[in-house]
Amino acid sequence: MWRAVVTLLALVLCLGSLGAALAASPPAAPEVPQLFGNFQPVPGAWSEYTVVDKHTGAKTHMRMAIVGQEGDGHWYEVLNDDGQSKNVVKMLVVGDPEDPNNIRRMILKSGDNPATEMPRDFVAMGRRMAAHMFERRSGVPAEAPPGLKAEEAGRRSVTVPAGTFSVQVHRIVDAQGKVYATYDFDPAVLPFGVVTSATEKNTMELLGHGSGATSRITETPVPLAGPPGMPTGMPRGMPPGLKEGMPAPKP
């Protein structure tokens, strides 16, 4: 059970990274987050993408949506469907969901299994695992090398299954000018503004976007308790065998 939960969390956060949050102007420190776009949590906004692995041709359908509002937070939901499995992560976030400190609640659903709500301290471990998986899948280092930055590279018109868009082109480059990723940005495409993105390993293309999104998780989630045999004093979100400072397990 716990191995499946760990894999699901890391996979969904990783795939979300391919289409999510690098602001139009990169922050001062760190220079470049791991995500693309600019998070705009408008209730009901949704966008759907095809993510393609360049080496295998494998395709994943990804849907990102703002499916509710609670106090000063928004329910941000990511669905991934690779044709064999369908996974949903629903997070109550205040601010950029890339920062785990902004995640107040997290609910997971895998296939037809019951939805489960994660302990909040599980999020930090999931983000560390997702960082390693992001690097393996995308080709953009999880720990940015010195001088990595985002830069604008002009405008262009791009046609995707969702239509034709006038976009601002962005590139992520290092100090030597090596391009790690590109993405096309249109602020009208909520919640992240991404129309296309490309790295050495993956491409992503907008299938559609709109309003009126509702959650794909309709049942009341069951709180996830710690697994049997968890050592005393270990954070609830840390499965046995994975300690602070250890590298994330390979997927």
Side-chain angles (χ1 to χ4, degrees):
M1 170 65 173
W2 268 86
R3 181 177 296 274
V5 168
V6 169
T7 302
L8 168 58
L9 177 59
L11 173 62
V12 175
L13 290 174
C14 169
L15 287 176
S17 298
L18 297 175
L22 180 67
S25 298
E31 278 191 298
V32 178
Q34 295 172 357
L35 307 181
F36 306 142
N38 186 15
F39 186 58
Q40 302 175 75
V42 175
W46 62 270
S47 55
E48 295 186 349
Y49 300 85
T50 296
V51 181
V52 179
D53 185 309
K54 289 183 177 180
H55 299 305
T56 66
K59 295 182 179 180
T60 298
H61 178 89
M62 180 172 68
R63 177 183 185 266
M64 298 182 290
I66 307 301
V67 296
Q69 188 169 0
E70 187 173 318
D72 58 349
H74 292 84
W75 282 103
Y76 162 52
E77 185 172 279
V78 181
L79 177 148
N80 285 290
D81 184 352
D82 63 6
Q84 297 181 349
S85 61
K86 182 182 296 186
N87 301 312
V88 182
V89 171
K90 181 178 177 181
M91 295 171 281
L92 181 63
V93 300
V94 178
D96 185 351
E98 167 67 1
D99 184 346
N101 293 321
N102 293 336
I103 302 175
R104 293 185 174 177
R105 294 176 64 188
M106 177 178 287
I107 299 169
L108 307 181
K109 183 174 176 62
S110 177
D112 295 328
N113 294 320
T116 56
E117 181 157 0
M118 312 303 295
R120 187 176 178 185
D121 51 15
F122 186 84
V123 175
M125 185 191 69
R127 293 304 308 174
R128 289 195 298 273
M129 294 173 62
H132 287 271
M133 291 183 67
F134 174 82
E135 179 173 359
R136 182 179 66 83
R137 287 174 176 269
S138 72
V140 178
E143 295 183 3
L148 195 66
K149 63 180 182 180
E151 63 180 22
E152 294 184 355
R155 300 193 65 85
R156 69 168 182 154
S157 177
V158 60
T159 299
V160 294
T164 299
F165 297 81
S166 176
V167 298
Q168 176 68 57
V169 181
H170 294 262
R171 304 190 306 174
I172 300 177
V173 300
D174 64 16
Q176 286 71 46
K178 177 181 177 180
V179 178
Y180 287 85
T182 62
Y183 67 98
D184 294 321
F185 180 81
D186 183 337
V189 179
L190 302 175
F192 286 104
V194 174
V195 177
T196 73
S197 70
T199 67
E200 180 183 353
K201 297 183 179 181
N202 292 277
T203 63
M204 189 174 74
E205 197 170 62
L206 182 67
L207 295 175
H209 69 106
S211 59
T214 57
S215 178
R216 300 298 174 89
I217 298 177
T218 56
E219 74 264 37
T220 300
V222 177
L224 183 68
M230 175 176 284
T232 303
M234 179 176 287
R236 290 178 301 157
M238 196 67 67
L242 186 65
K243 301 178 181 178
E244 289 290 342
M246 290 181 61
K250 295 181 179 179

